Amino acid sequence: MEAKRTYILGSRRLSNIFWALTVSLGGFGFFLTGLSSYTKVNLLIFSDVTKILFVPQGIVLLFYGTVGTILGLFLCLTIFWDVGFGYNEYNRELQQVAIFRKGFPGQNRELLLNFSFDEIKSIKVRVKEGLNPKRQLLLCLKDNREIPLTGVDQPMALSTIENEAVGLAKYLNIYLETE
C-alpha cells in the first residue's frame, strides 16, 4: 500500500508577492524622496521633491523609507526561501506519520517530525468563526501535544476540511474530534 502525502503551500503565494513588491517599491520611493530633500537633487522621475524641507519631513520620509525597504527585503527573502512549505506523509506500512516544513536559513532550516501510530490519539478539527476565521486540522498525540497539519493560508471551506479530516481519520484508523 502506498503512503498518503499532502502538501502545504509556503510563502510563495500571489498575495505575498503583491505585498512584498508594494512594500519594497513604496519604501524605496519614500527613501528616495527623503534623500532628494537632503541633497536637493531630484532622484524621482515622476515629481519634483527637492522643495520638501529636510527637517522634519525629509527625515521622517528617510526613516519610513528605510524601514519600508528593509521590511520589503525581508518579505522578498521569505518568498525566495519559501518559508512554511512542506508536506505531511501518512504511511500505514511503516505505521508512521512524517511532518516536514521549511523554515528560515540556518542550523534548523528543515523541520522533520516523525510519529508512530502508537503515539497518535486523534485528529482534531478546530473551527473558529468571526472576524479572523480559523479552520485547522490538528494531529493530537497521547501526550496532549497538538501538531498543525494545515497551512496558514486562506481558511478552507468547512466541507473541504471536514472531508479531509474524515478521510484522514479513516486512513489512520483513529478518532475524530471537533473543537
Side-chain angles (χ1 to χ4, degrees):
M1 173 156 270
E2 206 171 291
K4 183 178 179 178
R5 188 180 271 199
T6 57
Y7 288 93
I8 305 298
L9 188 63
S11 56
R12 287 186 188 158
R13 283 183 257 144
L14 195 57
S15 62
N16 287 354
I17 293 169
F18 169 77
W19 285 113
L21 289 174
T22 302
V23 169
S24 298
L25 291 174
F28 192 62
F30 272 52
F31 182 79
L32 287 180
T33 304
L35 204 58
S36 293
S37 74
Y38 177 73
T39 60
K40 299 296 181 200
V41 174
N42 192 20
L43 299 173
L44 293 173
I45 300 166
F46 51 85
S47 67
D48 183 21
V49 294
T50 56
K51 293 179 178 60
I52 294 176
L53 297 174
F54 183 66
V55 177
Q57 291 94 345
I59 293 173
V60 172
L61 286 168
L62 206 55
F63 172 73
Y64 282 137
T66 303
V67 171
T69 304
I70 291 170
L71 180 62
L73 180 64
F74 169 76
L75 292 173
C76 290
L77 288 173
T78 301
I79 292 166
F80 177 73
W81 293 320
D82 201 13
V83 173
F85 170 78
Y87 62 84
N88 306 324
E89 185 176 84
Y90 314 97
N91 194 326
R92 268 201 282 205
E93 239 177 69
L94 299 174
Q95 296 285 301
Q96 201 169 40
V97 174
I99 298 171
F100 174 80
R101 299 288 185 275
K102 277 187 178 180
F104 288 100
Q107 188 177 359
N108 299 319
R109 172 150 169 70
E110 295 180 348
L111 174 70
L112 179 61
L113 303 172
N114 288 306
F115 303 104
S116 72
F117 280 16
D118 297 335
E119 295 177 74
I120 301 170
K121 179 174 71 173
S122 64
I123 295 291
K124 183 187 279 187
V125 178
R126 182 176 289 157
V127 177
K128 184 184 132 199
E129 298 297 337
L131 214 50
N132 188 17
K134 272 190 181 177
R135 294 179 183 148
Q136 283 184 312
L137 219 60
L138 302 163
L139 183 69
C140 298
L141 304 177
K142 289 181 180 171
D143 60 1
N144 293 327
R145 287 184 289 170
E146 295 180 346
I147 313 296
L149 297 176
T150 52
V152 293
D153 47 344
Q154 295 295 325
M156 288 192 270
L158 201 52
S159 60
T160 305
I161 201 160
E162 285 174 346
N163 290 338
E164 191 175 324
V166 168
L168 193 54
K170 281 181 183 177
Y171 183 82
L172 298 175
N173 196 24
I174 55 177
Y175 295 107
L176 180 62
E177 297 179 43
T178 57
E179 185 179 295

